[in-house]
Amino acid sequence: MGIINHTPLVILIILSSIAFASSARLIPLPIIKEPTDSVNIFDNSKYGLLQLSNGLAQTPQMGWNSWNFFACDINETLIKETADALISTGLADLGYNYVNIDDCWEAFTRDEKDQLVPDPKTFPSGIKALADYVHDKNLKLGIYSSAGVFTCQVRPASLFHENDDAATWASWGVDYLKYDNCFNLGIKPIDRYPPMRDALNSTGRKIFYSLCEWGEDDPALWAGDVGNSWRTTDDIEDTWASMTSIADLNDKWAAYAGPGGWNDPDMLEVGNGGMTYLEYRSHFSIWALMKAPLLIGCDVRNMTAETFEILSNKEVIDVNQDPLGIQGRKVNASGTDGCLQVWAGPLSGNRFAVVLWNRCSEAGTIKVTWNTLGLESSISVSVRDLWKHEDVVADAVASFGVPVEAHSCEMFVLTPKGSSFQV
């Protein structure tokens, strides 16, 4: 969202007092180095320290959001046509099931009862009718507000109206709330965001709660018992520079994500025209590896074949939706300014997802070593290419590498073999 009137805030959360941060919350990892090696490169011990339990977000959310392409140029016909397109293209069958309306759906003022109402010009049938339409297609409807006195586009927002607004959305059949950070009166996020959690829970309807405070107060430290996802960064732009820098910022918080609560580096820009095909493929691969929400931000009614190819890659989506739920991260960097990178993360079934990401301006060969993944060098590993959709090596030992074009990546699943490989 367009960001207006926000002040950097600092908050200190004392996690050491949380007694229930026990080993029961830790997920076994396929790391088999010697016991003397105390460093776990895929540490997820921060996950579960503070954990919301509303039963949602066992895997990262998938769907579509209106903002990146349409901004305020939205109406109920667009939302219906988008829901239709998710079905007709098969994207819904791949898991893209949230249809999320961003800012500008509201009238510019509340009604005489001080309640939120849809803009009568653009949503004349009302949000409940729209939710019914979406639900009839076995999809879910998302709505937008801000934890401030206005939304970023200066429509009525929900600070001090949490209970009334949550009840309104529940009565309409809303399934998802993106809760922004504009016009926040300088009140700390940790004071503004929990009241909406409580209000949503009090409705009795399970509503996915997506916090969007732009990562200003390090929400990974405190938002786990508040929302189902939390933005770790400022808004993404449809550029290579924005996408890569945001990936790096989100990487910092990898240990804090897991089933029920996810780091959110903002929505996908794939298909919006600001990057090349290979850059968009990198964008999608890294977001999938990082267990980021996969929220399409383009016009799905008018996708190119290349855009659809990226967004519909089931093998990459499966990495994102893997039930182990551990965020992949950057594990190695070489080359000029570290532009030849290895990003990786463990998957269920004793496997690893690996992205060899070339952020250089020239092609280069990138290699992942087993030691980088915490594996013994002698282990034999099969390698599957997720973009070629084929097994490329049956028995790799010690390392695996391939040439990678500039501003591109290659993505693989590595499956170690042999009885010595144990969780």
Side-chain angles (χ1 to χ4, degrees):
M1 281 302 317
I3 294 174
I4 301 174
N5 190 31
H6 62 280
T7 304
L9 305 172
V10 178
I11 192 162
L12 177 64
I13 301 298
I14 306 301
L15 296 177
S16 59
S17 63
I18 307 300
F20 57 83
S22 67
S23 59
R25 296 297 304 176
L26 304 183
I27 303 173
L29 303 181
I31 303 299
I32 58 170
K33 280 192 168 186
E34 294 298 323
T36 55
D37 184 352
S38 60
V39 178
N40 183 347
I41 59 172
F42 298 120
D43 169 45
N44 70 323
S45 61
K46 304 301 183 185
Y47 165 68
L49 291 177
L50 297 163
Q51 191 62 34
L52 176 68
S53 297
N54 64 0
L56 300 176
Q58 293 307 296
T59 58
Q61 66 267 41
M62 295 178 63
W64 173 89
N65 178 284
S66 61
W67 183 258
N68 282 1
F69 187 85
F70 294 99
C72 270
D73 189 18
I74 58 173
N75 56 58
E76 63 184 40
T77 300
L78 166 66
I79 304 306
K80 289 180 178 180
E81 290 178 353
T82 296
D84 295 343
L86 290 175
I87 298 296
S88 64
T89 59
L91 289 172
D93 290 336
L94 292 170
Y96 295 100
N97 57 9
Y98 283 107
V99 182
N100 293 344
I101 312 169
D102 211 286
D103 207 346
C104 302
W105 64 270
E106 302 167 67
F108 282 95
T109 59
R110 291 175 176 266
D111 68 11
E112 66 279 2
K113 296 181 180 179
D114 207 25
Q115 301 297 306
L116 292 178
V117 290
D119 188 319
K121 294 181 179 180
T122 51
F123 292 89
S125 302
I127 302 301
K128 186 181 186 306
L130 198 53
D132 291 344
Y133 184 91
V134 169
H135 292 158
D136 284 346
K137 297 181 177 297
N138 292 318
L139 299 172
K140 300 176 182 179
L141 187 75
I143 208 78
Y144 165 95
S145 189
S146 183
V149 293
F150 297 106
T151 72
C152 297
Q153 300 301 309
V154 203
R155 308 283 177 118
S158 298
L159 186 64
F160 311 131
H161 291 271
E162 291 87 355
N163 288 326
D164 280 351
D165 292 354
T168 295
W169 297 324
S171 72
W172 291 344
V174 165
D175 304 292
Y176 186 111
L177 172 66
K178 175 184 174 182
Y179 205 38
D180 219 332
N181 198 31
C182 287
F183 296 101
N184 57 49
L185 304 182
I187 302 171
K188 294 179 179 180
I190 197 166
D191 294 324
R192 286 182 290 112
Y193 282 87
M196 183 56 78
R197 169 204 59 195
D198 297 340
L200 293 172
N201 287 343
S202 71
T203 68
R205 182 175 182 83
K206 289 189 175 183
I207 298 176
F208 191 108
Y209 188 22
S210 171
L211 279 62
C212 183
E213 61 88 85
W214 316 318
E216 288 196 338
D217 273 23
D218 298 338
L221 298 178
W222 54 266
D225 70 341
V226 180
N228 297 114
S229 66
W230 44 87
R231 277 276 295 279
T232 55
T233 71
D234 208 334
D235 288 4
I236 194 171
E237 297 176 3
D238 188 17
T239 67
W240 173 257
S242 173
M243 183 270 288
T244 53
S245 63
I246 279 179
D248 291 337
L249 290 170
N250 191 64
D251 185 48
K252 175 182 178 181
W253 303 108
Y256 292 83
W262 306 100
N263 293 316
D264 178 5
D266 206 4
M267 299 169 289
L268 295 167
E269 291 282 7
V270 176
N272 283 333
M275 288 183 262
T276 67
Y277 165 73
L278 291 177
E279 289 172 341
Y280 279 139
R281 198 175 79 170
S282 298
H283 178 17
F284 192 70
S285 298
I286 291 295
W287 258 236
L289 183 83
M290 292 194 300
K291 302 297 188 290
L294 297 183
L295 294 175
I296 299 170
C298 70
D299 184 356
V300 294
R301 303 169 306 168
N302 298 289
M303 290 181 291
T304 66
E306 287 185 343
T307 294
F308 179 74
E309 177 198 347
I310 293 171
L311 295 174
S312 64
N313 188 324
K314 186 178 185 303
E315 293 192 75
V316 175
I317 292 170
D318 285 347
V319 169
N320 179 260
Q321 297 290 298
D322 184 78
L324 189 61
I326 296 177
Q327 179 174 323
R329 61 207 74 183
K330 187 191 307 182
V331 297
N332 186 259
S334 59
T336 304
D337 296 325
C339 62
L340 299 173
Q341 300 183 357
V342 178
W343 291 59
L347 302 173
S348 59
N350 294 337
R351 301 168 299 144
F352 290 91
V354 173
V355 176
L356 305 181
W357 194 11
N358 184 357
R359 289 162 58 162
C360 309
S361 57
E362 298 179 352
T365 295
I366 307 176
K367 180 173 68 174
V368 56
T369 66
W370 291 185
N371 183 66
T372 302
L373 302 177
L375 294 173
E376 297 290 354
S377 296
S378 60
I379 289 178
S380 176
V381 173
S382 65
V383 181
R384 181 168 180 81
D385 188 314
L386 302 191
W387 286 105
K388 292 181 179 177
H389 303 293
E390 62 184 32
D391 299 324
V392 291
V393 177
D395 294 293
V397 176
S399 67
F400 171 77
V402 294
V404 184
E405 295 185 49
H407 286 205
S408 183
C409 79
E410 301 296 339
M411 188 170 187
F412 306 93
V413 166
L414 276 56
T415 305
K417 302 177 180 180
S419 60
S420 62
F421 183 71
Q422 299 175 0
V423 175

